């Protein structure tokens, strides 16, 4: 492999909101610090994401000291939301999982998020990721847990694979939609200096001082067709992934990772393939 390096780091303080780029991040057992510890649920307690509400791509959340977030979106005044004080939890549904969460204490937070989407939603917080949500036991080691991420603590992508995918898009029926930026895939770690699709063969990788286990490839959904700047949707990259990267019914791009130890990752860190 070439001189592989960590090209960029991204967290999503509120699940489904726009990503936030960082120069460094502390990697905790359940993912990067501050990543996907907040999310929205509907009146029935079901998670709300860009799958149903592409407009969430227009909203941003800045991390505040202590774990709070500052929400912003076009047409709405920014709003700071503090971490809820310890208290009774409520049960919500995150895909197939039932998760105990803490609702935001400020009623203004629920009103702000509801105004963003034009429908009733509530903002909730994951108070203790060490116990609340285990990783899918089919692909996990005992005791592994995850935040509000779709299923795994971290998602890694490579610039070489994006370049290869964009080449496929350029030769397809929807070439006018490309080239696509990496934010369509909402990764945590972006690596440069590899070959295209090389990450398919990794099983353990060291990023700086942090060692991570590659759990499984990431199957992609309609969120990848959402322009993260406009919330408009198209056909790509799912059209090209369906033609060239379909495995066992999944359209693959990127790898899901689980930390095998903690530490800090920094942009520019070397990336070493252990096995």
């Amino acid at each position: 492999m070439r001189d592989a390096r960590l090209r960029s780091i991204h967290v999503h303080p509120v699940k489904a909101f726009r990503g936030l780029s960082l120069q460094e991040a502390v990697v905790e057992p359940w993912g990067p610090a501050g990543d996907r510890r907040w999310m929205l649920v509907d009146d029935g307690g079901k998670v709300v994401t860009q799958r149903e509400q592409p407009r969430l791509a227009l909203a941003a959340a800045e991390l505040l000291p202590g774990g709070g977030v500052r929400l912003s979106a076009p047409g709405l005044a920014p709003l700071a939301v503090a971490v809820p004080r310890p208290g009774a939890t409520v049960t919500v549904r995150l895909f197939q999982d039932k998760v105990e969460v803490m609702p935001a204490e400020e009623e203004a937070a629920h009103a702000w998020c509801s105004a963003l989407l034009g429908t009733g939603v509530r903002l909730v917080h994951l108070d203790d990721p060490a116990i609340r949500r285990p990783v899918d036991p089919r692909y996990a080691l005992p005791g592994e847990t995850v935040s509000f991420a779709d299923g795994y603590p971290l998602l890694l992508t490579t610039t070489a694979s994006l370049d290869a995918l964009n080449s496929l898009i350029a030769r397809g029926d929807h070439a006018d939609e490309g080239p696509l930026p990496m934010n369509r895939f909402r990764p945590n770690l972006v690596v440069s200096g590899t070959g295209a699709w090389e990450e398919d063969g990794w099983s353990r990788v060291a990023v700086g001082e942090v060692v991570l286990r590659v759990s499984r490839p990431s199957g992609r959904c309609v969120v990848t067709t959402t322009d993260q700047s406009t919330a408009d949707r198209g056909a790509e990259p799912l059209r090209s992934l369906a033609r060239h990267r379909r495995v066992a019914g999944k359209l693959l791009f990127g790898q899901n990772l689980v930390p095998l130890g903690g530490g800090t990752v920094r942009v520019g860190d070397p990336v070493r393939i252990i096995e």
Side-chain angles (χ1 to χ4, degrees), residues 16-235:
F17 279 29
R18 183 184 307 161
L20 177 67
S21 296
L22 303 176
Q23 288 300 302
E24 64 178 51
V26 174
V27 176
E28 299 172 323
W30 41 84
D35 187 53
R36 297 174 170 97
R37 292 288 296 273
W38 298 83
M39 72 177 183
L40 302 184
V41 296
D42 63 19
D43 289 340
K46 181 182 177 181
V47 63
V48 177
T49 74
Q50 287 188 34
R51 293 167 177 82
E52 313 82 26
Q53 292 282 0
R55 182 171 169 76
L56 286 170
L58 305 180
E62 175 189 350
L63 289 168
L64 298 178
V69 286
R70 182 178 181 270
L71 310 178
S72 61
L76 294 172
L79 179 70
V81 184
V83 169
R85 291 168 293 185
T89 61
V90 298
T91 303
V92 299
R93 286 180 294 149
L94 177 48
F95 308 129
Q96 304 303 314
D97 298 335
K98 292 184 178 180
V99 186
E100 296 294 313
V101 302
M102 297 287 297
E105 292 180 349
E106 299 91 338
E107 195 60 38
H110 309 306
W112 191 99
C113 295
S114 298
L116 170 69
L117 298 181
T119 188
V121 292
R122 295 179 64 78
L123 180 66
V124 300
H125 181 257
L126 185 63
D127 62 330
D128 191 350
I131 63 172
R132 295 297 187 202
R133 187 178 176 227
V135 174
D136 187 333
R138 294 175 296 173
Y139 306 100
L141 299 177
E144 291 180 341
T145 61
V146 60
S147 65
F148 287 145
D150 279 4
Y152 300 88
L154 296 101
L155 174 65
L156 178 148
T157 59
T158 69
T159 56
S161 294
L162 179 61
D163 290 343
L165 177 57
N166 277 325
S167 294
L168 296 174
I169 292 172
R171 300 196 297 268
D173 299 334
H174 297 271
D176 59 317
E177 293 187 23
L180 301 182
M182 190 66 84
N183 65 8
R184 288 291 188 96
F185 302 94
R186 302 174 64 78
N188 297 115
L189 306 178
V190 179
V191 174
S192 62
T194 72
W197 316 119
E198 186 177 324
E199 64 274 18
D200 289 349
W202 301 348
S203 58
R204 189 171 298 193
V205 59
V207 180
E209 65 187 33
V210 178
V211 177
L212 306 114
R213 179 175 65 84
V214 181
S215 180
R216 64 185 302 216
S218 179
R220 309 320 302 231
C221 70
V222 69
V223 172
T224 60
T225 69
T226 307
D227 187 315
Q228 297 295 296
S229 298
T230 66
D232 294 332
R233 280 195 169 147

